[in-house]
Amino acid sequence: QSLLKKDSLSISGQLDLCRKTAGGDLAVYKDAGYSGKNTKRPDFERLLRDIKADKVRKLYVYRLDRFSRSVADFGRLWEILQEHNVEFVSVSENFDTSSPMGRAMLHIIMVFAQLERETIADRIRDNLQELAKTGRWLGGNTPLGYESEGTEYCKVDGKKRKTFHLKLIPEEAQLVQMIFSKFLELKSLTKLETYLLNQDYKTRQGKPFSRFAIRELIMNPVYAKADEAMYQHLNSNDVHPFSDREAFDGTYGIMAYNRTEQTKGSTTRKKPMEEWVVSVGEHEGIISGEDWIAVQGLLDENKSKSYRWRAGQTNEALLSGLLHCRCGHCMRPKVTNRTTGDGE
């Protein structure tokens, strides 16, 4: 099989060489007009589907860059080929993974792919560390209780730029304080969700608070004041802030970068705390470090017995908060893994 793109040698010429090497006719996958840098190619995606369906046993390409021009991408693609026992042959480069030399060449490529991934990761982390020293807000949806405010400045080259920081919205900040306080009192996301529904509290978008929304809110370190309790908590969890200890005086809030990772085809993954890049921000904290830490402790304590979240799962229900019990309280669905004795 062959994945081809037009270049100095015609597509038909490349196909002929692949057929000659294979010693017979082949099924053809080609994406004329697409760059090898891009994995979003129609026939390339069709090829991957066929590989995953175990319809391919040996893959012939005219040249390695017809398949992928990124060694990091090739590393990921090679894992798919291995998983489905597909041999790989680069015709013009005499690169055949069914031979010892071909496999050795592949390992060399994989070493450079790993080096590229690690270099990129180090560069990203270095940039985050530099940003952390400024305590800036990097953009995106602002957390409840804050709005993003820009400050214009002039660079050395005379060009104007803007930096952003979080500005407190007092009314929303009071709601955030209440949610934290109520969770410490009720010690349950389920009970807190019911309370917020019954009291008709809404999110910024005008929707009832779901357990997921509540959990995301109370886990966010942006609300925590940078005080002594937070400094000790961060250090005890192998998070070393890029701010002096003197800055943890309770005046400003915590700014944590690198908390999540978005991968292709999957939901956002929370990174372990030791991978965070943390500094003291330019915004006012809302919750004391002691209370924020206590909330995280309760969440951890309840994790094994509370509602379990799965990728792609939602707790949105059309009638949630609209149906009421005769006592006047809102009704909502609850999911459980427990079964009766009859297995129902």
Side-chain angles (χ1 to χ4, degrees), residues 105-172:
M105 287 296 295
L106 178 68
H107 286 303
I108 292 171
I109 288 177
M110 294 299 290
V111 167
F112 281 100
Q114 181 65 27
L115 177 63
E116 182 185 41
R117 285 194 294 269
E118 291 179 358
T119 301
I120 291 172
D122 287 345
R123 192 181 302 128
I124 291 172
R125 190 167 183 85
D126 288 344
N127 289 338
L128 285 173
Q129 289 172 357
E130 288 303 310
L131 286 168
K133 294 174 184 177
T134 69
R136 288 164 48 189
W137 172 249
L138 301 186
N141 294 327
T142 52
L144 184 70
Y146 298 100
E147 61 183 335
S148 179
E149 187 174 66
T151 303
E152 195 171 72
Y153 70 99
C154 198
K155 292 186 71 177
V156 178
D157 59 9
K159 293 182 179 179
K160 291 183 178 180
R161 294 287 186 272
K162 264 190 176 183
T163 59
F164 294 87
H165 65 274
L166 295 176
K167 181 182 177 182
L168 197 74
I169 303 175
E171 302 79 18
E172 290 187 1

Side-chain angles (χ1 to χ4, degrees), residues 127-241:
N127 289 338
L128 285 173
Q129 289 172 357
E130 288 303 310
L131 286 168
K133 294 174 184 177
T134 69
R136 288 164 48 189
W137 172 249
L138 301 186
N141 294 327
T142 52
L144 184 70
Y146 298 100
E147 61 183 335
S148 179
E149 187 174 66
T151 303
E152 195 171 72
Y153 70 99
C154 198
K155 292 186 71 177
V156 178
D157 59 9
K159 293 182 179 179
K160 291 183 178 180
R161 294 287 186 272
K162 264 190 176 183
T163 59
F164 294 87
H165 65 274
L166 295 176
K167 181 182 177 182
L168 197 74
I169 303 175
E171 302 79 18
E172 290 187 1
Q174 289 176 4
L175 175 57
V176 170
Q177 285 177 324
M178 185 275 293
I179 290 173
F180 271 87
S181 175
K182 208 68 184 174
F183 180 73
L184 287 171
E185 175 190 333
L186 299 173
K187 298 179 172 56
S188 164
L189 286 172
T190 300
K191 291 178 181 179
L192 178 53
E193 180 194 29
T194 301
Y195 174 82
L196 295 176
L197 280 170
N198 288 330
Q199 297 300 315
D200 201 31
Y201 285 108
K202 297 287 196 298
T203 66
R204 185 181 283 167
Q205 291 73 35
K207 296 180 179 180
F209 279 95
S210 66
R211 278 169 298 204
F212 179 76
I214 297 167
R215 186 172 180 271
E216 289 297 296
L217 187 151
I218 61 180
M219 285 181 66
N220 197 337
V222 74
Y223 297 117
K225 293 181 179 179
D227 53 21
E228 180 63 22
M230 277 303 293
Y231 182 84
Q232 295 294 343
H233 179 70
L234 291 169
N235 276 277
S236 65
N237 284 277
D238 294 322
V239 181
H240 306 293

